[in-house]
Amino acid sequence: MNATQVTRPHAATKPVRWAADVVAAMREGARLRLDYSASSLWRVDRTIEEVHREGAPYAAVESVLRGFGAYAGEVMVRLTGGEWWTADGDHWVRTPDGRLWDPIDEARRCYHGEGSLRLLCHDAMSIART
């Protein structure tokens, strides 16, 4: 990353809000309770799969996917002691070992059947423990 990086609180402002928005929307609309636990990411992966299976066009669900990615990122932050980083409008999670993770892009990959927020978080947690 070439751009100047900004850490919490500024870098976290948008993704934390996106995560809270998706938690509220899922609780009210889909009756899905998200509690910022690693196990809740299994439900998020399944929900993204269902949205894709129903044939929703990507453009129609792009902001929800961003919210799911931010939610997964916030789970990672809370469980690994990481922090949100931002540069050039993109947001990543930086774990204590210095690695950067892109849960927002991973949510997009999930929609296309190529990713898993649960596994991304699992990998980050596994590395953070070593």
Side-chain angles (χ1 to χ4, degrees):
M1 281 186 293
N2 298 354
T4 302
Q5 297 166 339
V6 181
T7 59
R8 271 192 193 222
H10 297 104
T13 303
K14 286 183 181 180
V16 168
R17 185 181 69 235
W18 296 332
D21 288 349
V22 83
V23 167
M26 290 298 106
R27 183 180 57 240
E28 294 169 16
R31 303 278 188 240
L32 177 64
R33 184 155 169 69
L34 300 176
D35 60 3
Y36 293 96
S37 67
S39 62
S40 70
L41 294 176
W42 180 85
R43 293 187 298 271
V44 172
D45 279 347
R46 297 282 307 195
T47 300
I48 293 171
E49 289 173 18
E50 289 172 19
V51 167
H52 179 70
R53 218 177 10 253
E54 291 172 0
Y58 178 79
V61 297
E62 187 172 10
S63 66
V64 173
L65 293 173
R66 181 187 65 201
F68 280 138
Y71 172 79
E74 190 59 18
V75 171
M76 292 168 65
V77 165
R78 293 177 184 198
L79 295 177
T80 67
E83 60 189 353
W84 282 102
W85 281 51
T86 186
D88 300 326
D90 292 324
H91 295 83
W92 304 276
V93 170
R94 183 177 182 267
T95 49
D97 65 351
R99 291 181 191 230
L100 290 174
W101 304 83
D102 192 345
I104 294 173
D105 186 57
E106 191 70 12
R108 294 178 190 121
R109 292 173 35 80
C110 288
Y111 177 79
H112 295 292
E114 302 168 356
S116 169
L117 293 170
R118 180 183 59 82
L119 293 178
L120 183 75
C121 183
H122 178 268
D123 289 350
M125 288 173 45
S126 295
I127 290 170
R129 281 185 275 219
T130 59

